[in-house]
Amino acid sequence: PDLGRGRRRREPGEVQHRLARALWERVRDREEEDADRLAVAVELAWALRGMGEVSEALQLCRRIFEVRSRVLGPEDPSTC
């Protein structure tokens, strides 16, 4: 039976990607150092990777690392 009422079934990666994109739209205009913005950026990077968009995910991860390094310093465990 078609329990989705005609809608196609979404894969878990696609759902995560859509959610991460929606959250990103809500926080993207905040300052780069904003903790919520950084957390959502990490989630978006994972979602992009899961969808096979490795290049975009890597680019975002590099930017996250740059911001964390600047804010937290090179000795912080999350920047090592």
Side-chain angles (χ1 to χ4, degrees):
D2 183 6
L3 300 177
R5 303 208 193 295
R7 290 181 258 155
R8 70 181 178 90
R9 183 175 176 272
R10 288 192 172 84
E11 296 301 317
E14 181 182 351
V15 173
Q16 181 185 11
H17 183 250
R18 286 173 165 264
L19 178 59
R21 285 277 183 203
L23 290 171
W24 180 247
E25 290 303 315
R26 295 185 75 179
V27 299
R28 67 187 273 167
D29 293 331
R30 295 182 185 182
E31 292 186 29
E32 281 188 320
E33 298 83 5
D34 181 84
D36 290 335
R37 185 181 192 274
L38 285 169
V40 171
V42 169
E43 291 301 317
L44 179 55
W46 276 106
L48 289 167
R49 181 183 174 273
M51 293 294 293
E53 298 175 36
V54 178
S55 179
E56 189 176 350
L58 185 57
Q59 182 180 5
L60 184 54
C61 284
R62 286 182 178 139
R63 188 66 197 138
I64 293 165
F65 178 77
E66 289 171 7
V67 173
R68 282 184 174 171
S69 294
R70 185 180 72 237
V71 172
L72 302 174
E75 301 302 318
D76 188 273
S78 68
T79 63
C80 293

